[in-house]
């Protein structure tokens, strides 16, 4: 029997430095090249929306849309967007995209989407994304606890995980110091969550230089897009 070709899902990942998208077949495999554009320098909802619509137009046909957004999202509405722009708070991204592109749309936190694409669905699984910000997602037997915001919790005295491990910290502290901090963070998170597996994603996961413990795994950044299919299984 021929593989199903529809519905096709346009998967979008909105990041602090890049906007990415591709189209997935029903099996969750990419059927277009990943397209990446710089996030607009003043990333207001209207600037980002304009870029996303232009990108979507280059992706050919699709039937529905999945979006990973770098902040808290409740029922399609953005509640926080610390690495984008304050105008996002209260913006109903799900309705806006669905209306603009005339396709059913689901929007969730970016780390949640990345996690949905990476987990095995057994026991406690934690996901940490290392990028402009620090994203986190927690799962129990494959069930998501949405919008876990570990990144903004304290880590090492007066700073947060994001302030110690985000892009800015990596630049300021240098790769070696950043790696040392990450190693400490992993140990602490293991004590707190007692996860069966921790997944490390995001653009900076490739900068990890130390050997990871047996219950920690790197995931390819593309999972942030591939996880988009799972939003339609939820
Ligand atoms: C946001 C999270 C997001 C993470 C990665 C943080 O600043 O608060 O919601 O998942 O950045 O983009």
């Amino acid at each position: 029997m021929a593989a199903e070709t529809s519905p096709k899902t346009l998967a979008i990942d909105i990041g602090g430095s890049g906007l990415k998208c591709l189209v997935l077949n029903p099996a969750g495999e990419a059927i277009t090249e990943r397209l990446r554009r710089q996030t607009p320098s003043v990333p207001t909802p209207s600037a980002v929306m304009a870029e996303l619509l232009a990108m979507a137009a280059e992706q050919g046909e699709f039937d529905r849309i999945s979006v990973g957004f770098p902040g808290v999202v409740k029922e399609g509405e953005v509640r926080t967007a610390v690495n984008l722009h304050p105008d996002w708070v209260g913006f109903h991204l799900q309705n806006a995209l669905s209306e603009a592109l005339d396709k059913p749309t689901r929007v969730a936190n970016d780390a949640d989407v990345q996690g949905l694409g990476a987990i095995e669905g057994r026991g406690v699984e934690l996901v940490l994304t290392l990028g402009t910000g620090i994203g986190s997602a927690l799962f129990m037997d494959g069930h998501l606890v949405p919008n876990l915001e570990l990144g903004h919790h304290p880590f090492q005295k007066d700073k947060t995980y994001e302030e110690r491990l985000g892009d800015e910290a990596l630049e300021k502290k240098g790769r070696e110091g950043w790696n040392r901090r990450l190693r400490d963070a992993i140990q602490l998170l293991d004590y707190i969550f007692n996860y069966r597996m921790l997944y490390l994603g995001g653009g900076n996961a490739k900068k990890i230089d130390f050997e990871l413990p047996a219950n920690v795994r790197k995931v390819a950044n593309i999972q942030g897009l591939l996880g988009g299919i799972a939003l339609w299984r939820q």
Side-chain angles (χ1 to χ4, degrees):
M1 209 167 64
E4 299 273 345
T5 55
S6 65
K8 293 186 175 78
T9 307
L10 175 70
I12 297 176
D13 182 39
I14 300 178
S17 55
L19 308 174
K20 289 145 258 170
C21 73
L22 49 67
V23 177
L24 302 169
N25 68 13
E29 296 152 351
I31 52 172
T32 60
E33 283 284 309
R34 188 188 83 139
L35 182 62
R36 185 187 190 280
R37 291 273 162 77
Q38 287 287 109
T39 304
S41 55
V42 184
T44 56
S46 56
V48 171
M49 280 291 291
E51 196 62 72
L52 292 180
L53 298 188
M55 290 169 77
E58 287 180 40
Q59 289 288 300
E61 283 187 6
F62 51 86
D63 308 291
R64 58 189 189 185
I65 306 163
S66 290
V67 185
F69 182 84
V72 173
V73 179
K74 289 191 182 161
E75 289 167 15
E77 182 184 310
V78 173
R79 297 297 179 89
T80 70
V82 292
N83 291 311
L84 288 178
H85 191 279
D87 284 2
W88 281 96
V89 178
F91 184 74
H92 207 298
L93 178 57
Q94 192 164 286
N95 286 351
L97 266 177
S98 167
E99 277 160 30
L101 290 169
D102 197 22
K103 295 282 184 289
T105 303
R106 292 192 179 172
V107 182
N109 171 264
D110 55 358
D112 289 352
V113 177
Q114 166 112 200
L116 287 165
I119 57 160
E120 292 173 340
R122 280 191 300 127
V124 175
E125 292 174 280
L126 184 68
V127 179
L128 213 59
T129 65
L130 308 166
T132 311
I134 298 297
S136 53
L138 182 63
F139 297 85
M140 172 60 193
D141 287 343
H143 296 286
L144 171 68
V145 179
N147 294 309
L148 175 75
E149 285 283 313
L150 256 184
H152 302 292
H153 282 237
F155 170 58
Q156 297 180 337
K157 300 188 189 134
D158 54 337
K159 295 250 164 78
T160 62
Y161 284 88
E162 186 156 306
E163 286 165 331
R164 298 239 175 247
L165 291 166
D167 261 350
E168 247 180 70
L170 172 59
E171 215 160 282
K172 235 163 89 192
K173 183 84 181 162
R175 188 156 166 164
E176 209 181 310
W178 180 84
N179 267 276
R180 259 197 317 275
R181 278 181 181 170
L182 181 62
R183 195 199 305 248
D184 291 347
I186 291 173
Q187 199 170 60
L188 185 63
L189 293 173
D190 196 8
Y191 287 143
I192 299 172
F193 289 96
N194 289 290
Y195 45 74
R196 188 182 61 77
M197 195 61 73
L198 167 67
Y199 302 91
L200 300 174
N204 290 333
K206 58 180 179 293
K207 303 203 171 124
I208 299 172
D209 291 329
F210 55 95
E211 199 179 322
L212 295 170
N215 61 347
V216 184
R217 231 179 253 168
K218 271 194 239 183
V219 295
N221 204 22
I222 195 146
Q223 289 300 345
L225 288 166
L226 301 186
I229 198 79
L231 283 187
W232 291 93
R233 288 194 207 113
Q234 289 269 300

